Amino acid sequence: MLFGNHRTLILGVLGTLAGVVGTVGGISDGARVVDILGFAAIGALGLALAVGYVVVASKRPRR
């Protein structure tokens, strides 16, 4: 189960941070649009993983 594992949350947070840092760094260095969009896509995927984990964790029954 992909979203039931806490490693998914960690991977999502790291992906989001990499996307944000890469996008800001690319903009400040004057990188090409394709490079900036690539980092933005990595950030969006990381955000989707983190949000997916939180949604699945919120629906999990408590003991």
Side-chain angles (χ1 to χ4, degrees):
M1 182 159 42
L2 176 67
F3 290 111
N5 195 345
H6 69 278
R7 292 179 182 147
T8 303
L9 177 64
I10 294 170
L11 182 65
V13 170
L14 290 177
T16 303
L17 289 175
V20 169
V21 170
T23 302
V24 171
I27 290 172
S28 66
D29 284 343
R32 296 180 304 172
V33 174
V34 174
D35 298 332
I36 294 170
L37 288 176
F39 279 117
I42 291 171
L45 179 63
L47 184 63
L49 285 173
V51 168
Y53 174 82
V54 170
V55 168
V56 169
S58 69
K59 293 182 180 182
R60 189 177 307 149
R62 300 277 178 200
R63 293 184 188 171

